[in-house]
Amino acid sequence: MQITPEVAMNAKERNGRREIEEREEVGVEREDSKRIPPWTKQVTVRGMVTSAVIGAIYSVIAMKLNLSTGLSFNLNVSAALLAFIFLRAYTKGLEKMGFPVTPFTRQENTMIQTCAVACYSIAVSGGLGSYLLALNKKTYELTGVDTPGNTPGSYKELKLGWITGYLFVVCFVGLFVLIPLRKILIIDYKLTFPSGMATAVLINGFHHRGDKDAGKQVRGFVKYFSGSFLWGFFQWFYTAKETCGFAQFPTFGLKAWRNTFYFDFSMTFVGTGMILPHIVNISTLLGAVLSWGVMWPLMGKLKGEWYPANLPESSMKSLNGYKIFLSIALLLGDGLYNFIKVVGITCWNIHGRFKQKGVSLAMDMGGQTKTVDDAKKNEVFIRETIPMWVGAVGYILFTIISTIALPLMFHEIKWYYVIVAYIFAPSLAFCNAYGAGLTDINMAYNYGKVGLFALAALAGKEHGVVAGLVACGLVKSVVCVSCVLMQDMKTGHLTLTSPRAMMVSQAVGTAVGCVVAPLCFFLFYNAFDVGNPDGEWKAPYAVIYRNLAIISVQGLSALPLHCLQLCGGFFAFAVVVNIVKDLSRPSISKWIPMPMPMAMPFIVGAYFAIDLCLGSLVVFVWQKLKPEKAKLMVPVVASGLICGEGLWTLPASVLSLAKVKPPICMKFEAS
């Protein structure tokens, strides 16, 4: 059959349109591989400085959230946005002044995002608000010095030196564990890693967008960042005492305020609510109503029947014990269900791939064939590969260092505990990364709990609590860091960024995070009353993790009266809700609450749930009235609100350390 020029042209046009459609799906423009800068050009000095600044800002914000509510969420998209805003403003400013400027590419944007995320991830998952803080004497005393299983002297005071060393030892192992499997997870198995893909789509969209939209985003961020920062500064003047200020404003009346139902004017939490899915915020509010609106007032009337009337409410054998153990039951029920589900999905998919060995690896899980753009991305991803020996040598080297260093830091840890943990760590890291690639659920915290239960039981009653908490950090850090690296590798794959640049960025970010996170922590730790169950800085997960370790060595006898039955009910509730949510149609399941967010207010209070829902309401109304503008500006406004007030925490902490007190106490009392 002869192909005429018209037919050839029509076919060419159809192919061109098809390729354009395929590119739009992942936001990747047609880019000649030869024009992509080598990895040494993708890692720049200005990029490293920018990523260190963004990472430090988000470390402060993450530490504030960890130590106040225990809340943590994914800031990858926001970090990519800030990187784009900072570098675009910098390069445009130099161009207007007539200086020659190296173009700001999406590869550099990806590198900055990767480095910044690696930095602040240490503040989120490094345990400074949970299992490491659970080691200090204050948490030991809060748990009850006479509590069975809470062995006398089973604490270690927190010092900057050993914490920094501990983070360096346990976090760097995760960088090397999955290097040999990088190609298998991303190219051969074609795992989606939804968060990594979403970040890549955003970065590619930034660099295809016109200067007009970019200018709007820069101006919007500056406006809301400045407003949030100044609002934090203004509020400070009215907080002479802890119960003073706008953060204690009785929005719904004094009775509701005493049950923590009030709006605390926190722009950080409002911005967080704008980023989080609506169902997460609604679930948090539902948990607040269930706990502080119904359960705690009813259980408060049982004082003298279920628990001694002469004990303070903060005692583990008083109302506080029920708050902590019921939240643990919800967390464990939700975590165990999702753990089994993700492991099951992982095993099923791996089994399916072994059965399909004869099928070409060019076919993905949906059966779609490889496109031209896929081939180009794969070629760039493989061309500057990371040698396998780097992963092997790095993992073995840091395993040896950990085996020597950890027993020196903690006499409760035996060297063979570390060896056993690192023997199983690669398998756990692969399962977690594979599951995250399929479901976007990072189960590192559950793998950490597995390490906690196993080593606490192995070490026995005398050393079990400390050994379990340290082992939790060891396992969780390896699994979490390796998963974050694979997410970022997926982003790099879709933005045509060199894996070597990604690896260097991740390593630099991790190193910076291991220094910045402890500094941020001690800034809060020394300036505020961290761990006070009646104060602003409750650090709820410290008490939760210590009680998990106590249960591991003591069993269920550590629970207060009737608490076991209630915990069983809440555990079953979490499992049933997840099952119903997974079996329901999407139109129904999107309205079914999530147990894990419901557990957050049980200890902390209802106020931050109100802030989160206000953020959701702003986004909902904005999307209804001006959907296009909302799509462009919601991440910008949210990032500005979070960063502004979050950054004000730094000067507020310095003023507190310098014993400079606000001049006014604004407080509300009944007439």
Side-chain angles (χ1 to χ4, degrees):
M1 176 181 176
Q2 185 178 5
I3 301 177
T4 63
E6 290 79 6
V7 173
M9 182 61 69
N10 290 336
K12 186 175 181 180
E13 289 177 356
R14 286 195 300 271
N15 290 334
R17 285 196 297 271
R18 189 183 304 116
E19 288 181 4
I20 289 172
E21 290 172 358
E22 290 167 352
R23 289 195 301 269
E24 287 176 347
E25 289 181 359
V26 293
V28 181
E29 68 177 71
R30 296 281 300 182
E31 185 171 0
D32 192 338
S33 298
K34 295 179 181 178
R35 292 172 49 218
I36 300 172
W39 76 272
T40 52
K41 299 291 185 181
Q42 295 174 18
V43 181
T44 61
V45 174
R46 70 183 184 187
M48 287 296 178
V49 172
T50 303
S51 59
V53 171
I54 295 173
I57 291 172
Y58 279 161
S59 292
V60 173
I61 295 167
M63 196 62 66
K64 177 184 176 181
L65 293 173
N66 259 335
L67 297 179
S68 57
T69 65
L71 183 70
S72 63
F73 59 99
N74 193 320
L75 287 168
N76 293 25
V77 170
S78 184
L81 172 65
L82 277 193
F84 176 77
I85 289 173
F86 284 4
L87 263 295
R88 177 57 68 94
Y90 169 77
T91 53
K92 288 295 179 183
L94 289 181
E95 284 176 359
K96 288 182 179 179
M97 289 187 286
F99 292 100
V101 179
T102 304
F104 176 44
T105 64
R106 56 180 170 165
Q107 286 80 22
E108 188 178 10
N109 201 156
T110 304
M111 181 276 296
I112 297 170
Q113 180 265 339
T114 299
C115 190
V117 169
C119 178
Y120 90 77
S121 292
I122 306 300
V124 173
S125 61
L128 291 164
S130 54
Y131 48 85
L132 290 184
L133 184 57
L135 290 169
N136 77 339
K137 187 176 181 179
K138 186 172 186 176
T139 309
Y140 161 75
E141 292 174 345
L142 278 173
T143 311
V145 293
D146 57 343
T147 299
N150 196 26
T151 309
S154 59
Y155 59 85
K156 184 179 179 69
E157 284 302 343
L158 306 181
K159 301 292 183 183
L160 180 63
W162 75 258
I163 288 180
T164 304
Y166 174 82
L167 291 176
F168 267 102
V169 167
V170 301
C171 291
F172 266 85
V173 181
L175 292 177
F176 301 97
V177 66
L178 291 182
I179 284 179
L181 303 175
R182 173 180 56 86
K183 176 179 174 293
I184 293 173
L185 290 169
I186 292 175
I187 294 181
D188 294 344
Y189 285 0
K190 284 183 171 289
L191 297 177
T192 55
F193 287 100
S195 292
M197 178 176 283
T199 307
V201 170
L202 192 74
I203 290 174
N204 287 323
F206 287 157
H207 291 270
H208 299 157
R209 198 172 288 156
D211 288 342
K212 184 178 179 181
D213 285 342
K216 284 182 181 178
Q217 289 183 316
V218 171
R219 289 190 297 273
F221 176 80
V222 171
K223 180 170 71 173
Y224 285 95
F225 173 87
S226 303
S228 180
F229 185 89
L230 292 174
W231 173 243
F233 176 52
F234 174 74
Q235 287 189 85
W236 176 81
F237 284 97
Y238 299 90
T239 56
K241 296 180 181 178
E242 193 163 339
T243 56
C244 304
F246 286 91
Q248 300 291 331
F249 191 89
T251 320
F252 309 111
L254 287 171
K255 187 174 182 180
W257 173 79
R258 280 190 286 270
N259 286 303
T260 72
F261 281 93
Y262 56 89
F263 175 54
D264 71 344
F265 293 90
S266 171
M267 295 301 103
T268 301
F269 289 134
V270 173
T272 302
M274 294 177 70
I275 291 176
L276 292 174
H278 295 319
I279 189 60
V280 172
N281 298 330
I282 293 171
S283 300
T284 306
L285 184 60
L286 182 61
V289 172
L290 176 65
S291 56
W292 291 90
V294 179
M295 291 184 59
W296 306 157
L298 289 177
M299 294 178 72
K301 296 177 181 179
L302 296 172
K303 183 186 294 185
E305 297 180 34
W306 282 22
Y307 54 91
N310 59 344
L311 289 178
E313 190 176 301
S314 59
S315 170
M316 287 301 298
K317 293 186 177 181
S318 183
L319 183 59
N320 195 47
Y322 294 94
K323 294 178 183 179
I324 290 171
F325 285 114
L326 292 182
S327 65
I328 289 174
L330 269 182
L331 293 172
L332 287 180
D334 184 77
L336 182 63
Y337 174 83
N338 283 289
F339 178 77
I340 293 173
K341 183 180 77 172
V342 171
V343 170
I345 292 172
T346 301
C347 294
W348 180 262
N349 276 272
I350 292 175
H351 175 68
R353 291 187 180 280
F354 277 120
K355 289 176 66 176
Q356 297 175 0
K357 283 184 178 179
V359 180
S360 170
L361 286 175
M363 305 291 290
D364 66 9
M365 287 184 295
Q368 297 177 337
T369 56
K370 188 186 296 183
T371 65
V372 175
D373 279 335
D374 287 335
K376 182 176 294 183
K377 286 179 287 187
N378 293 348
E379 186 268 328
V380 171
F381 194 73
I382 296 172
R383 184 176 60 194
E384 293 182 334
T385 187
I386 302 169
M388 190 173 293
W389 65 264
V390 172
V393 171
Y395 190 74
I396 293 171
L397 177 63
F398 278 98
T399 298
I400 294 172
I401 294 173
S402 300
T403 305
I404 297 171
L406 290 179
L408 294 177
M409 293 181 187
F410 309 94
H411 69 271
E412 297 88 350
I413 291 289
K414 307 299 180 184
W415 64 269
Y416 47 87
Y417 293 173
V418 183
I419 297 292
V420 170
Y422 282 148
I423 288 174
F424 288 102
S427 301
L428 300 177
F430 174 78
C431 290
N432 186 52
Y434 193 98
L438 291 171
T439 65
D440 204 31
I441 301 174
N442 186 346
M443 303 297 292
Y445 59 92
N446 274 329
Y447 287 101
K449 291 189 183 82
V450 171
L452 186 154
F453 290 138
L455 280 195
L458 182 64
K461 289 188 178 182
E462 185 178 356
H463 302 307
V465 172
V466 174
L469 292 170
V470 174
C472 175
L474 190 152
V475 175
K476 181 182 176 183
S477 296
V478 173
V479 173
C480 184
V481 170
S482 60
C483 184
V484 170
L485 178 60
M486 287 301 108
Q487 289 273 14
D488 289 335
M489 284 289 185
K490 182 66 177 183
T491 303
H493 177 239
L494 295 177
T495 57
L496 302 178
T497 306
S498 166
R500 294 184 182 181
M502 301 292 289
M503 184 67 184
V504 170
S505 303
Q506 186 86 11
V508 171
T510 301
V512 173
C514 289
V515 175
V516 169
L519 291 174
C520 292
F521 170 76
F522 278 103
L523 184 65
F524 288 100
Y525 194 66
N526 293 326
F528 306 113
D529 188 13
V530 173
N532 180 0
D534 299 319
E536 180 183 354
W537 306 93
K538 295 179 176 67
Y541 278 101
V543 179
I544 286 176
Y545 271 85
R546 187 164 188 99
N547 278 283
L548 285 173
I550 290 171
I551 291 173
S552 301
V553 299
Q554 185 63 30
L556 299 176
S557 62
L559 299 178
L561 185 65
H562 299 304
C563 195
L564 178 60
Q565 295 89 330
L566 289 171
C567 286
F570 274 84
F571 183 93
F573 169 78
V575 173
V576 170
V577 166
N578 275 296
I579 292 174
V580 173
K581 192 175 183 70
D582 285 342
L583 296 180
S584 300
R585 295 195 303 270
S587 59
I588 297 174
S589 65
K590 69 179 182 180
W591 297 108
I592 297 176
M594 303 170 68
M596 189 165 289
M598 287 180 66
M600 291 180 184
F602 275 41
I603 303 173
V604 178
Y607 61 91
F608 81 98
I610 294 170
D611 299 345
L612 296 180
C613 286
L614 180 61
S616 263
L617 180 62
V618 170
V619 173
F620 179 79
V621 173
W622 200 350
Q623 289 174 339
K624 290 294 182 184
L625 297 178
K626 296 182 178 180
E628 290 301 319
K629 187 175 182 181
K631 184 179 179 181
L632 179 70
M633 296 301 294
V634 162
V636 176
V637 173
S639 299
L641 292 177
I642 292 170
C643 293
E645 192 179 63
L647 199 60
W648 163 250
T649 310
L650 277 177
S653 303
V654 172
L655 289 171
S656 178
L657 290 172
K659 307 299 181 184
V660 177
K661 290 189 176 182
I664 305 169
C665 174
M666 184 175 73
K667 193 173 182 179
F668 299 87
E669 296 179 351
S671 59

